[in-house]
């Protein structure tokens, strides 16, 4: 089969690696334009582009795909190139551009999307983050036949993946990324032999996973400890759950909710109840959060004892 692949971050690169290793002909790799990154803000290629270049795969980086949009010239060039390829299928994973109808109509077998949730739950941009934040016990990958809607196409194959109690977005991302490639390969093989059995998404249970905003990182200590602990895991590695003491920013990277603490009676939410080698205990709206990995602005992630050696948090301190 002749495949066009469209994707950008590490999640997509893992799928591309599997497709390449499985022997599919990758006729073109489409990915987002290089972006400034790092302290020096140097242009950096996406994870997908880096893999494609390392393996001699042709790359296209249109800034847009709408023929009547701001980047109509890029879109027209992409249209001509894709039409000339006469691809059998297109595989899409976290590409970052909406595919207009002309793209969806070009491949003989259509466009297949690897989506990191069990649709229709968590349609949208941040399904892994939102599943952890909501306290879901189960997620997975869905291979979907793409249509013009937002993750509304027919489901072709799904694979459930349990969410462990200590999973962060980073760890769950890696689990799902490793399984997305094999799953889409199976769908492509089914498509080639005419064996696909599309299932319409149910109308019930639809939820939307809005893009993560940096403003969400600030911890609201009036929330209950369980909810805060979920957000700590959901926002690791980005944007990191944050709080502050006397104007100094502190990120919390690992935490768990406790039912109570001997010193919590009457303390205001955000009050440090105790701090030591076993963690920093903070009063929440309900319950207590034990933070075990912390980071001061400009510093490194450290276990609680290492953090406290350089940045004491005395009992009674109020985090905001």
């Amino acid at each position: 089969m002749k495949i066009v692949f469209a994707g950008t971050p590490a999640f997509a690169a893992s799928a591309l690696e599997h497709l390449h290793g499985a022997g599919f002909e990758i006729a073109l790799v489409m990915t987002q334009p290089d972006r400034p990154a790092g302290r020096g803000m140097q242009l950096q290629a996406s994870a997908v582009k880096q893999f494609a270049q390392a393996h001699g795969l042709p790359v296209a980086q249109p800034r847009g795909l709408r023929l009547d949009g701001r980047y109509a010239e890029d879109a027209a060039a992409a249209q001509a190139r894709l039409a000339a390829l006469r691809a059998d299928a297109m595989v899409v994973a976290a590409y970052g551009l909406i595919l207009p109808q002309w793209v969806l109509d070009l491949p003989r077998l259509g466009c297949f999307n690897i989506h990191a949730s069990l649709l229709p739950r968590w349609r949208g941009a941040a399904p892994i983050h939102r599943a952890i934040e909501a306290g879901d016990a189960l997620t997975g990958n869905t291979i979907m036949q793409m249509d013009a809607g937002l993750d509304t196409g027919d489901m072709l194959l799904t694979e459930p993946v349990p969410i462990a109690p200590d999973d962060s977005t980073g760890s769950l991302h890696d689990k799902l990324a490793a399984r997305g490639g094999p799953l889409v390969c199976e769908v492509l093989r089914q498509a080639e032999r005419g064996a696909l059995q599309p299932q319409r998404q149910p109308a019930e249970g639809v939820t939307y996973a809005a893009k993560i905003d940096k403003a969400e990182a600030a911890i609201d200590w009036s929330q209950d400890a369980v909810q805060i602990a979920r957000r700590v895991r959901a926002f690791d590695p980005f944007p990191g759950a944050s709080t502050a003491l006397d104007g100094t920013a502190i990120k919390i990277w690992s935490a768990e909710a406790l039912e109570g603490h001997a010193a919590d009676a009457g303390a205001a939410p955000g009050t440090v109840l105790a701090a030591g080698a076993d963690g920093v205990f903070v009063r929440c709206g309900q319950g207590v959060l034990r933070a075990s990995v912390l980071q001061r602005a400009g510093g490194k992630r450290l276990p609680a004892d290492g953090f406290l050696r350089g940045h004491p948090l005395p009992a009674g301190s109020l985090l905001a």
Side-chain angles (χ1 to χ4, degrees):
M1 295 181 71
K2 183 185 288 187
I3 305 297
V4 171
F5 183 88
T8 299
F11 180 86
S14 178
L16 177 59
E17 180 179 4
H18 198 90
L19 285 163
H20 184 262
F24 289 96
E25 179 187 352
I26 313 296
L28 181 65
V29 173
M30 299 176 66
T31 190
Q32 287 278 301
D34 297 359
R35 307 289 191 201
R39 292 188 177 182
M41 296 301 286
Q42 298 295 314
L43 287 178
Q44 182 172 316
S46 71
V48 163
K49 181 179 178 180
Q50 291 176 43
F51 179 88
Q53 290 182 322
H55 292 81
L57 302 176
V59 176
Q61 295 177 273
R63 293 168 294 176
L65 293 172
R66 287 182 52 189
L67 295 170
D68 59 350
R70 178 182 178 187
Y71 300 114
E73 186 175 345
D74 283 25
Q79 184 181 43
R81 188 169 185 180
L82 287 171
L85 287 176
R86 298 183 178 274
D88 296 300
M90 185 172 187
V91 174
V92 182
Y95 178 32
L97 288 179
I98 295 174
L99 301 190
Q101 194 64 47
W102 69 260
V103 179
L104 301 176
D105 292 341
L106 275 177
R108 177 175 63 88
L109 297 171
C111 299
F112 305 123
N113 178 245
I114 308 171
H115 187 75
S117 79
L118 297 177
L119 292 169
R121 186 157 178 79
W122 303 126
R123 295 174 178 172
I128 302 175
H129 301 76
R130 299 306 181 188
I132 291 176
E133 184 183 17
D136 291 2
L138 190 69
T139 186
N141 285 311
T142 301
I143 310 301
M144 172 185 64
Q145 183 93 49
M146 296 182 72
D147 62 15
L150 177 63
D151 299 329
T152 56
D154 289 348
M155 299 181 294
L156 303 173
L157 201 60
T158 61
E159 182 184 22
V161 174
I163 300 177
D166 60 349
D167 263 330
S168 65
T169 288
S171 64
L172 186 56
H173 165 280
D174 292 350
K175 294 177 186 179
L176 293 169
R179 300 184 186 199
L183 205 63
V184 79
C185 285
E186 175 58 27
V187 165
L188 290 170
R189 294 184 186 105
Q190 290 181 12
E192 193 169 26
R193 62 177 185 266
L196 290 177
Q197 297 182 351
Q199 300 291 322
R200 294 186 65 84
Q201 294 187 34
E204 301 78 25
V206 175
T207 54
Y208 290 93
K211 184 178 179 180
I212 301 298
D213 191 299
K214 285 185 178 180
E216 297 180 69
I219 295 173
D220 179 358
W221 293 107
S222 68
Q223 295 180 335
D224 69 75
V226 170
Q227 186 175 4
I228 294 172
R230 289 173 182 165
R231 290 170 68 85
V232 168
R233 294 188 293 117
F235 296 161
D236 178 7
F238 175 85
S242 64
T243 188
L245 177 64
D246 298 330
T248 298
I250 299 170
K251 288 195 174 185
I252 297 176
W253 293 108
S254 182
E256 65 174 326
L258 307 177
E259 290 298 321
H261 188 277
D264 69 353
T271 301
V272 176
L273 304 175
D278 53 349
V280 177
F281 298 80
V282 185
R283 182 73 167 93
C284 304
Q286 183 174 343
V288 171
L289 189 81
R290 183 179 75 89
S292 54
V293 179
L294 305 92
Q295 179 183 17
R296 188 174 179 176
K300 298 179 179 180
R301 296 192 190 195
L302 294 171
D305 57 346
F307 179 88
L308 292 169
R309 279 196 292 270
H311 312 288
L313 291 175
S317 300
L318 187 61
L319 300 176

